[in-house]
PDB file of all heavy atoms in Angstrom:
ATOM      1  N   GLY A 753      17.949 -27.424   2.881  1.00 98.00           N
ATOM      2  CA  GLY A 753      19.427 -27.864   2.837  1.00 98.00           C
ATOM      3  C   GLY A 753      20.165 -26.756   2.333  1.00 98.00           C
ATOM      4  O   GLY A 753      19.760 -25.715   1.763  1.00 98.00           O
ATOM      5  N   MET A 754      21.534 -26.877   2.434  1.00 98.00           N
ATOM      6  CA  MET A 754      22.522 -25.830   1.916  1.00 98.00           C
ATOM      7  C   MET A 754      22.783 -25.918   0.433  1.00 98.00           C
ATOM      8  O   MET A 754      23.406 -24.931  -0.168  1.00 98.00           O
ATOM      9  CB  MET A 754      23.816 -25.853   2.764  1.00 98.00           C
ATOM     10  CG  MET A 754      23.518 -25.582   4.204  1.00 98.00           C
ATOM     11  SD  MET A 754      25.131 -25.866   5.231  1.00 98.00           S
ATOM     12  CE  MET A 754      26.037 -24.515   4.612  1.00 98.00           C
ATOM     13  N   LYS A 755      22.407 -27.052  -0.275  1.00 98.00           N
ATOM     14  CA  LYS A 755      22.690 -27.103  -1.614  1.00 98.00           C
ATOM     15  C   LYS A 755      21.455 -27.282  -2.375  1.00 98.00           C
ATOM     16  O   LYS A 755      20.540 -27.862  -1.951  1.00 98.00           O
ATOM     17  CB  LYS A 755      23.624 -28.375  -1.921  1.00 98.00           C
ATOM     18  CG  LYS A 755      24.976 -28.179  -1.367  1.00 98.00           C
ATOM     19  CD  LYS A 755      25.820 -29.467  -1.653  1.00 98.00           C
ATOM     20  CE  LYS A 755      27.185 -29.213  -1.148  1.00 98.00           C
ATOM     21  NZ  LYS A 755      28.197 -30.464  -1.472  1.00 98.00           N
ATOM     22  N   PRO A 756      21.348 -26.881  -3.580  1.00 98.00           N
ATOM     23  CA  PRO A 756      20.125 -26.868  -4.439  1.00 98.00           C
ATOM     24  C   PRO A 756      19.821 -28.351  -4.625  1.00 98.00           C
ATOM     25  O   PRO A 756      20.718 -29.240  -4.995  1.00 98.00           O
ATOM     26  CB  PRO A 756      20.530 -26.353  -5.588  1.00 98.00           C
ATOM     27  CG  PRO A 756      21.667 -25.320  -5.446  1.00 98.00           C
ATOM     28  CD  PRO A 756      22.450 -26.066  -4.331  1.00 98.00           C
ATOM     29  N   ASN A 757      18.518 -28.695  -4.665  1.00 98.00           N
ATOM     30  CA  ASN A 757      18.049 -30.084  -5.045  1.00 98.00           C
ATOM     31  C   ASN A 757      17.378 -29.830  -6.335  1.00 98.00           C
ATOM     32  O   ASN A 757      16.141 -29.496  -6.422  1.00 98.00           O
ATOM     33  CB  ASN A 757      17.092 -30.694  -4.086  1.00 98.00           C
ATOM     34  CG  ASN A 757      16.606 -32.001  -4.525  1.00 98.00           C
ATOM     35  OD1 ASN A 757      17.008 -32.515  -5.478  1.00 98.00           O
ATOM     36  ND2 ASN A 757      15.582 -32.534  -3.831  1.00 98.00           N
ATOM     37  N   ASP A 758      18.076 -30.107  -7.505  1.00 95.00           N
ATOM     38  CA  ASP A 758      17.457 -29.702  -8.794  1.00 95.00           C
ATOM     39  C   ASP A 758      16.542 -30.806  -9.291  1.00 95.00           C
ATOM     40  O   ASP A 758      16.042 -30.875 -10.435  1.00 95.00           O
ATOM     41  CB  ASP A 758      18.516 -29.534  -9.787  1.00 95.00           C
ATOM     42  CG  ASP A 758      19.613 -30.666  -9.871  1.00 95.00           C
ATOM     43  OD1 ASP A 758      19.286 -31.708  -9.370  1.00 95.00           O
ATOM     44  OD2 ASP A 758      20.643 -30.382 -10.538  1.00 95.00           O
ATOM     45  N   ASN A 759      16.244 -31.779  -8.367  1.00 96.00           N
ATOM     46  CA  ASN A 759      15.239 -32.766  -8.684  1.00 96.00           C
ATOM     47  C   ASN A 759      13.836 -32.548  -8.182  1.00 96.00           C
ATOM     48  O   ASN A 759      12.877 -33.157  -8.557  1.00 96.00           O
ATOM     49  CB  ASN A 759      15.744 -34.186  -8.272  1.00 96.00           C
ATOM     50  CG  ASN A 759      16.998 -34.614  -9.107  1.00 96.00           C
ATOM     51  OD1 ASN A 759      16.959 -34.551 -10.274  1.00 96.00           O
ATOM     52  ND2 ASN A 759      17.990 -35.292  -8.424  1.00 96.00           N
ATOM     53  N   TRP A 760      13.857 -31.625  -7.118  1.00 98.00           N
ATOM     54  CA  TRP A 760      12.569 -31.297  -6.578  1.00 98.00           C
ATOM     55  C   TRP A 760      11.856 -30.128  -7.443  1.00 98.00           C
ATOM     56  O   TRP A 760      12.354 -29.059  -7.681  1.00 98.00           O
ATOM     57  CB  TRP A 760      12.733 -30.778  -5.177  1.00 98.00           C
ATOM     58  CG  TRP A 760      11.369 -30.470  -4.504  1.00 98.00           C
ATOM     59  CD1 TRP A 760      10.573 -31.426  -3.935  1.00 98.00           C
ATOM     60  CD2 TRP A 760      10.626 -29.277  -4.446  1.00 98.00           C
ATOM     61  NE1 TRP A 760       9.319 -30.813  -3.442  1.00 98.00           N
ATOM     62  CE2 TRP A 760       9.408 -29.460  -3.748  1.00 98.00           C
ATOM     63  CE3 TRP A 760      10.946 -27.968  -4.865  1.00 98.00           C
ATOM     64  CZ2 TRP A 760       8.547 -28.448  -3.554  1.00 98.00           C
ATOM     65  CZ3 TRP A 760      10.057 -26.873  -4.728  1.00 98.00           C
ATOM     66  CH2 TRP A 760       8.795 -27.178  -3.960  1.00 98.00           C
ATOM     67  N   GLY A 761      10.520 -30.489  -7.829  1.00 98.00           N
ATOM     68  CA  GLY A 761       9.693 -29.484  -8.382  1.00 98.00           C
ATOM     69  C   GLY A 761      10.208 -29.158  -9.804  1.00 98.00           C
ATOM     70  O   GLY A 761       9.904 -28.147 -10.340  1.00 98.00           O
ATOM     71  N   ASN A 762      11.005 -30.066 -10.363  1.00 97.00           N
ATOM     72  CA  ASN A 762      11.433 -29.800 -11.886  1.00 97.00           C
ATOM     73  C   ASN A 762      10.718 -30.360 -12.967  1.00 97.00           C
ATOM     74  O   ASN A 762      11.006 -30.066 -14.190  1.00 97.00           O
ATOM     75  CB  ASN A 762      12.898 -30.275 -11.893  1.00 97.00           C
ATOM     76  CG  ASN A 762      13.054 -31.751 -11.856  1.00 97.00           C
ATOM     77  OD1 ASN A 762      11.972 -32.550 -11.602  1.00 97.00           O
ATOM     78  ND2 ASN A 762      14.188 -32.420 -12.199  1.00 97.00           N
ATOM     79  N   SER A 763       9.625 -31.060 -12.711  1.00 96.00           N
ATOM     80  CA  SER A 763       8.725 -31.654 -13.787  1.00 96.00           C
ATOM     81  C   SER A 763       7.813 -30.507 -14.295  1.00 96.00           C
ATOM     82  O   SER A 763       7.376 -29.653 -13.529  1.00 96.00           O
ATOM     83  CB  SER A 763       7.904 -32.814 -13.217  1.00 96.00           C
ATOM     84  OG  SER A 763       6.893 -33.153 -14.073  1.00 96.00           O
ATOM     85  N   PRO A 764       7.536 -30.467 -15.590  1.00 95.00           N
ATOM     86  CA  PRO A 764       6.511 -29.642 -16.049  1.00 95.00           C
ATOM     87  C   PRO A 764       5.230 -29.615 -15.416  1.00 95.00           C
ATOM     88  O   PRO A 764       4.526 -28.429 -15.401  1.00 95.00           O
ATOM     89  CB  PRO A 764       6.432 -29.976 -17.681  1.00 95.00           C
ATOM     90  CG  PRO A 764       7.662 -30.646 -17.885  1.00 95.00           C
ATOM     91  CD  PRO A 764       8.085 -31.362 -16.686  1.00 95.00           C
ATOM     92  N   MET A 765       4.790 -30.701 -14.925  1.00 96.00           N
ATOM     93  CA  MET A 765       3.554 -30.827 -14.191  1.00 96.00           C
ATOM     94  C   MET A 765       3.649 -30.367 -12.713  1.00 96.00           C
ATOM     95  O   MET A 765       2.587 -30.014 -12.165  1.00 96.00           O
ATOM     96  CB  MET A 765       3.086 -32.370 -14.148  1.00 96.00           C
ATOM     97  CG  MET A 765       2.839 -32.881 -15.463  1.00 96.00           C
ATOM     98  SD  MET A 765       1.664 -31.855 -16.469  1.00 96.00           S
ATOM     99  CE  MET A 765       0.236 -31.775 -15.554  1.00 96.00           C
TER     100      MET A 765
END
Side-chain angles (χ1 to χ4, degrees):
M754 298 176 67
K755 294 183 179 180
N757 177 7
D758 55 15
N759 291 317
W760 182 83
N762 65 351
S763 165
M765 297 309 298

